[in-house]
Amino acid sequence: MELEKNTSDETPSRLTRAKSEFIYVFQREKDIEEEKDAEVFSEKWKMLLLFSLVALLFLTAALSMTMGAYKITIADVYQVLSAHLNPYQISDQLNPLQKTIVWDLRFPRILLAMAIGIGLATAGAVFQGCFRNPLVEPYILGVSSGAAFGAALGIVFPAFYFSVQISAFLFGMIAVMGTYSLGRIRGETPVITLILAGVIIGSVFSALVSILKYVAHDTALREIVFWLMGGFYYTTWKDVLIVSPVVLICFVLQWSLGWKLNILSMGDEEARALGIHPERYKLILIIMATLCTAVSVSTVGIIAWVGLMMPHAARMVLGPDNRFVIPAAAMLGGVYLLVCDTLARTLTTAEIPIGILTSILGAPYLFYLLRSKGHTAFGG
């Protein structure tokens, strides 16, 4: 009798346990399906935002074409561009002044501003991901100081350096190679050592620029100062054809490695555990980001803050996933530089160097970053 009683007591408990296990498994499967649906919805929403940013970039470019000392309507801009881009359309009936302003002056300038904004913003996103520091920007490895020294050499000694742009580009790359060589220890390149090496190399080249400014005559000194402030004053189609392909190729390659940048952002040990060689991919990403930065700096001078601000703005909108941060930062960088360049040439009769505007707008943003994320960046 006692055995029958025990058996009858265990049966309901087993049924209850089996029922609870079934409910748990069913609920877990339901939660997994909901998480997958939410992830798909989230990615669709992010793609929609990316397309919106692309549309915003082209809208900003179109509006920039109409603004300036000489007002031109959207219809006139469309006629000029279609006449040049469409081989079957006759362009003899166009207004010569509008044709010169739109095609020879504003259009290449806007394309170059878009390309450099994309290049600097993408480089900033890559550097922040590789160095795992939200306050890192594209000039951290000394490329700006090296390029400034190369440009100053070309300006002060034009007989020896046939091109200021080529000289700036070469010395920008030399500075980065010096930084990487100085920061490499026992076959590895620790982030802190690399950043300190960049500070050292940048300080050396800044001192050399100061020496050249000291010995330069008045005309060369004025030209060096204007170059250091950055600007699109003398943009030509040649500049667009040099910068745009380099930026486009580097952007596509960096975007394609966005998922690996996500892994690198977790740390070197985690990357090795997941089968990723951190040193190799860091080197590849840093080379491409530096190439974008060096080409941009050698063409238009030093334009700060773009690579620092735009990746953060992209993360605020789309989250930390670099597969979406890189293209979003690129679009926002293009929009930001277009707005700054339009303000630079329309606020006053004399054009304002764009580096002044980006610094004025960027300083409050850096203050915000230091207040909100500085403790995270410096491990406090």
Side-chain angles (χ1 to χ4, degrees):
M1 292 293 293
E2 188 176 351
L3 179 61
E4 292 178 358
K5 186 178 179 181
N6 291 338
T7 305
S8 62
D9 290 340
E10 290 178 0
T11 302
S13 62
R14 288 178 181 175
L15 290 174
T16 304
R17 195 181 309 115
K19 183 178 179 180
S20 62
E21 290 177 356
F22 173 76
I23 293 174
Y24 173 78
V25 172
F26 177 78
Q27 187 64 37
R28 181 58 182 163
E29 290 179 352
K30 186 178 178 180
D31 292 341
I32 292 174
E33 290 179 359
E34 290 178 353
E35 289 176 1
K36 289 181 179 179
D37 292 340
E39 185 177 354
V40 171
F41 176 77
S42 177
E43 290 197 357
K44 288 182 178 179
W45 176 248
K46 289 178 180 179
M47 291 301 297
L48 180 61
L49 286 176
L50 283 181
F51 283 118
S52 301
L53 290 176
V54 173
L56 177 62
L57 178 62
F58 284 105
L59 177 62
T60 307
L63 293 176
S64 299
M65 294 282 287
T66 65
M67 302 177 69
Y70 187 87
K71 302 296 181 182
I72 301 176
T73 64
I74 288 286
D76 294 332
V77 172
Y78 174 76
Q79 288 182 357
V80 174
L81 295 182
S82 60
H84 284 84
L85 299 176
N86 187 358
Y88 301 103
Q89 186 170 340
I90 301 174
S91 60
D92 295 338
Q93 299 177 352
L94 296 175
N95 185 329
L97 181 59
Q98 292 181 353
K99 180 179 177 182
T100 301
I101 291 175
V102 172
W103 185 256
D104 295 330
L105 298 178
R106 291 186 187 174
F107 193 41
R109 180 169 181 154
I110 285 171
L111 289 179
L112 187 63
M114 291 169 59
I116 289 179
I118 290 171
L120 291 178
T122 305
V126 168
F127 278 125
Q128 289 172 13
C130 286
F131 295 153
R132 303 171 62 199
N133 190 323
L135 301 180
V136 169
E137 45 93 27
Y139 303 128
I140 192 65
L141 299 184
V143 62
S144 60
S145 301
F149 175 68
L153 277 178
I155 293 170
V156 176
F157 304 107
F160 296 96
Y161 296 90
F162 55 90
S163 173
V164 173
Q165 291 183 8
I166 294 176
S167 177
F169 175 78
L170 290 177
F171 277 94
M173 296 302 293
I174 289 172
V176 173
M177 288 188 289
T179 298
Y180 204 82
S181 301
L182 188 62
R184 194 164 181 81
I185 300 174
R186 299 190 188 99
E188 294 185 354
T189 312
V191 173
I192 299 298
T193 307
L194 193 62
I195 293 177
L196 291 176
V199 172
I200 294 169
I201 295 295
S203 299
V204 171
F205 277 109
S206 296
L208 294 176
V209 171
S210 299
I211 293 174
L212 290 177
K213 289 164 69 175
Y214 180 76
V215 301
H217 54 80
D218 291 343
T219 304
L221 178 60
R222 180 182 293 270
E223 191 173 349
I224 291 172
V225 171
F226 269 89
W227 190 93
L228 292 175
M229 289 189 290
F232 297 91
Y233 330 102
Y234 310 115
T235 301
T236 62
W237 278 107
K238 181 181 177 182
D239 298 328
V240 176
L241 295 175
I242 292 173
V243 175
S244 297
V246 175
V247 170
L248 181 61
I249 293 171
C250 291
F251 166 70
V252 172
L253 292 175
Q254 290 170 102
W255 188 11
S256 66
L257 294 175
W259 67 277
K260 291 188 177 179
L261 186 59
N262 288 337
I263 298 175
L264 293 176
S265 301
M266 298 166 59
D268 291 353
E269 295 299 327
E270 288 79 0
R272 291 190 184 96
L274 294 172
I276 300 297
H277 195 294
E279 291 294 327
R280 180 184 306 160
Y281 284 103
K282 277 184 183 179
L283 180 60
I284 293 172
L285 288 167
I286 288 173
I287 286 175
M288 288 187 292
T290 302
L291 184 60
C292 280
T293 306
V295 169
S296 301
V297 171
S298 65
T299 305
V300 298
I302 299 173
I303 300 178
W305 304 100
V306 179
L308 175 63
M309 295 168 58
M310 295 306 109
H312 284 286
R315 291 189 192 97
M316 290 178 183
V317 177
L318 294 166
D321 190 345
N322 286 293
R323 296 176 301 167
F324 298 98
V325 168
I326 289 176
M331 298 303 106
L332 289 172
V335 170
Y336 180 67
L337 266 196
L338 283 176
V339 171
C340 289
D341 182 54
T342 303
L343 292 175
R345 57 187 175 85
T346 56
L347 284 178
T348 61
T349 54
E351 184 173 337
I352 303 172
I354 193 173
I356 295 177
L357 291 178
T358 57
S359 297
I360 290 174
L361 296 176
Y365 193 78
L366 178 61
F367 177 76
Y368 159 74
L369 288 180
L370 288 172
R371 296 291 294 178
S372 62
K373 299 183 180 181
H375 64 285
T376 304
F378 298 109

